[in-house]
Amino acid sequence: MSGETTDPVLRGLNAAIAENYDRVPYDPPASPGLDPAQVFALAAHYGYGRDPSAIDVLDLGCGTGAQLERVAGLTTGNLLGTDLSRSAYAQAVARTARFAPRCRVLCADFMDLDADALGQFDLIYHIGVLYVTPPAVQRRLLELIAGCLKPGGVAVISYYAGTVPLLMAGLHKVLRASVPPYLPTGEQVRLAKAQIQSILATLGKIGGDQRLMMGMLQQVLGTEETIFFHEMLNQSFGTLSTSALETGLGARGVHFLNWMQPAPFEKDAGARERSMKADAYAFAGGGYYYGVFCKTE
Ligand SMILES: C[S@@+](CC[C@H](N)C(=O)[O-])C[C@H]1O[C@@H](n2cnc3c(N)ncnc32)[C@H](O)[C@@H]1O
């Protein structure tokens, strides 16, 4: 067993992150835009299409199971969701019970999951998770994604990338330092938003070209409270680059195809070039992306 797997500090951090989802439940609706038919339509563009009505699906970090439930109604295949938050797990089980036994949910830390035991899947969802986990967990997650994809299978991974999210990550650090962790969550959010207002007021007085910074601050200020709490106050929150994901997954035969809302990479020769072009796009501002990766080798 590797040191990372047994590290008590990492285990404590993972438990604290998951417990935050028990304290402040996060229950977003499913995203029809991520339906298997849409994902495989994009993959087909690169020669990796598949009948979406009979696929096996893994949702790594399924939360309350809304996506799992939706997709269970769209495929006749087997589905598996995993999450460490006990309350999210319980909700996901209740939500998908009518699809049992072909749909199952596990309550486990990603560090305890093993690709061989999980099985092989045509489609993996990994939505809203990678950027709220520590680096050691991210390494494990990339191993799991690559290990659990069937040849020609596809993973949808969401992440923040680019310049504005990088500024956001810096802001989050400032906010975490200024908000006492022992306060009730609502009070933490209130204090953090007041701190953003104060930074905005100061920037207004400084003068000069502060448009990018002020735009980012306004955007963060407008973030819905639950997301604000989980992203702002999560000490592992960070950005990722498409090239870094291509490098981490590419070593295991899984390569970047495009974003779910495709950027025009068509003429670029290979996955590496596409991922570098994606970083260039994100550099101009950036945002929240759904990257589509395929086990092409
Ligand atoms: C932002 S939520 C996303 C949930 C779901 N994918 C969605 O889009 O609604 C992140 C989820 O990752 C789970 N998580 C975080 N760290 C984990 C870990 N080490 N092992 C398993 N689950 C973890 C949390 O419990 C939480 O439910």
Side-chain angles (χ1 to χ4, degrees), residues 10-11 13-15 17-22 26-29 31 59-67 82-86 88-89 106-113 125-134 137 141 158 230-231 234 288 290:
L10 179 64
R11 292 316 188 119
L13 188 51
N14 290 350
I17 292 170
E19 276 159 21
N20 272 345
Y21 287 92
D22 296 332
Y26 176 61
D27 184 24
S31 305
D59 191 338
L60 274 176
C62 63
T64 53
Q67 193 69 15
T82 82
D83 206 284
L84 182 57
S85 154
R86 296 211 68 81
Y89 159 77
L106 286 177
C107 189
D109 189 326
F110 296 129
M111 299 307 285
D112 289 325
L113 298 180
Y125 289 109
H126 190 50
I127 308 300
V129 184
L130 202 55
Y131 53 88
V132 293
T133 54
V137 178
L141 282 163
S158 74
H230 286 298
E231 293 188 347
N234 176 322
Y288 190 67
Y290 295 94

